[in-house]
Amino acid sequence: MNDPLLLGTRKSLMATTQSQAVADRLTALTGHRVRLAGVTTLGDVSRAHLTQLGGTGVFVNELRSRLIGGEIDFAVHSLKDLPTRQDEQVVIAAIPPRDDPRDALVGTAKFSDLAPGARVGTGSPRRVAQLRMLRPDLEYVAIRGNADTRIGKVTSGELDAVVLAAAGLGRIGREAEISQVFEIDEMLPAPGQGALAVECRADRHDLIELLGVLDDPETRAAVTAERSVLAALEAGCAAPVGAFASGDGHILSLTAAVVAVDGLRSVRTSTSGPTPAAMDLGRELAAAMIAEGAGTLMGEQAH
């Protein structure tokens, strides 16, 4: 392969930065040149809220159609944006080592120091539900837009703070504006948060093998468990479900929660088991959560 591989990416600063990092890593490990190809997705052009767009897949489908059509060789997604139901025409060839999975507050004060009634922006029902558990006295405002746009609402004074993924802020060099990083026990991240998925066509066996050098088995096991919970709960990426798994290569510990949108009720459970059984671990935890009423909480969110 003398021609550069075409890597499809959304055009935002966040997407192009993380795609370029993957491209550079692949070139360093294999010698193959990679060229970025910008793609506009429904999630980029629609001003509707993500939950109105159906949440799952709005940033993914256009990239996948270019992939299946052969216009690009592979694509890089934020793993938390990927639908849990895998399209049989494509395969996740690699999940590189995960960045910080936690959520971060951008503002001038720590979360506990915000004045009662302060306005906090986020586009995620999962974040709102968990933030309400911690501070029901604040006003939570639904926002859209890229990280720069969201941070701009704080600097302009429109909002007192916004909550974004710590990994994304790190990738675009905006860590200095983080006033607090929420610990996992305070706020469970979205399944797969902080991780990237490198996807290509399922029939490109040469490419699957090539991209495999980027794969991190520990990250793959952890996010497989987290996304297995999401799939078993039949929840999309916009649902109020948090999950986080970590392990030592042998044993995986998994915690997940479904939180009512009012923040008053939640179902939170944990389990652990052998790393190779990551998928089953997630399914079993989801079944335990449903037995404790998680399905009812999610049903309320949908109406």
Side-chain angles (χ1 to χ4, degrees):
M1 291 189 233
N2 291 324
D3 292 336
L5 293 166
L6 280 183
L7 166 49
T9 177
R10 290 168 57 203
K11 295 177 183 176
S12 71
L13 173 63
M14 186 92 68
T16 54
T17 302
Q18 61 197 31
S19 293
Q20 190 62 58
V22 169
D24 292 345
R25 181 75 179 140
L26 186 66
T27 301
L29 290 172
T30 69
H32 280 279
R33 291 180 300 130
V34 179
R35 184 162 65 82
L36 265 53
V39 174
T40 301
T41 72
L42 172 63
D44 296 314
V45 295
S46 173
R47 298 270 57 88
H49 199 268
L50 287 190
T51 48
Q52 293 171 301
L53 293 173
T56 311
V58 298
F59 296 122
V60 173
N61 296 338
E62 186 60 36
L63 281 168
R64 279 189 171 169
S65 75
R66 303 284 179 99
L67 201 55
I68 292 162
E71 295 172 58
I72 56 175
D73 293 299
F74 66 113
V76 171
H77 311 280
S78 289
L79 186 59
K80 68 184 176 69
D81 293 336
L82 279 190
T84 53
R85 188 186 295 274
Q86 185 66 25
D87 186 321
E88 290 183 1
Q89 297 174 91
V90 297
V91 65
I92 298 176
I95 299 174
R98 185 183 215 165
D99 291 321
D100 192 334
R102 297 172 297 173
D103 292 293
L105 188 75
V106 172
T108 55
K110 287 191 161 31
F111 191 61
S112 60
D113 296 332
L114 289 171
R119 290 163 55 83
V120 179
T122 172
S124 159
R126 170 192 63 82
R127 287 178 180 144
V128 171
Q130 293 188 87
L131 291 167
R132 278 202 178 117
M133 287 182 79
L134 299 170
R135 289 286 307 267
D137 60 317
L138 303 182
E139 182 185 347
Y140 298 103
V141 182
I143 55 172
R144 281 288 321 271
N146 60 33
D148 282 337
T149 302
R150 296 184 190 206
I151 294 168
K153 291 180 185 294
V154 178
T155 49
S156 70
E158 182 183 337
L159 296 172
D160 296 291
V162 293
V163 181
L164 296 159
L169 290 166
R171 286 173 193 146
I172 62 169
R174 304 294 289 264
E175 304 103 316
E177 284 150 287
I178 295 174
S179 56
Q180 179 180 343
V181 176
F182 292 97
E183 296 305 328
I184 300 293
D185 59 357
E186 292 178 294
M187 193 148 89
L188 276 170
Q193 186 163 300
L196 300 175
V198 183
E199 212 171 44
C200 70
R201 262 178 31 183
D203 59 2
R204 294 284 306 272
H205 302 293
D206 58 331
L207 198 50
I208 293 168
E209 185 177 352
L210 182 77
L211 296 171
V213 300
L214 300 169
D215 195 62
D216 179 59
E218 281 192 25
T219 298
R220 185 180 278 269
V223 300
T224 295
E226 294 164 16
R227 284 167 56 78
S228 176
V229 173
L230 197 64
L233 290 172
E234 297 184 347
C237 67
V241 178
F244 179 68
S246 61
D248 58 6
H250 304 289
I251 298 295
L252 203 59
S253 297
L254 172 65
T255 298
V258 173
V259 184
V261 73
D262 58 13
L264 295 177
R265 293 151 299 144
S266 67
V267 173
R268 182 183 179 114
T269 48
S270 298
T271 189
S272 61
T275 298
M279 184 83 74
D280 293 335
L281 212 59
R283 289 190 187 121
E284 288 162 14
L285 193 66
M289 293 172 76
I290 290 167
E292 289 184 35
T296 307
L297 294 185
M298 289 199 307
E300 290 172 10
Q301 167 75 15
H303 294 101

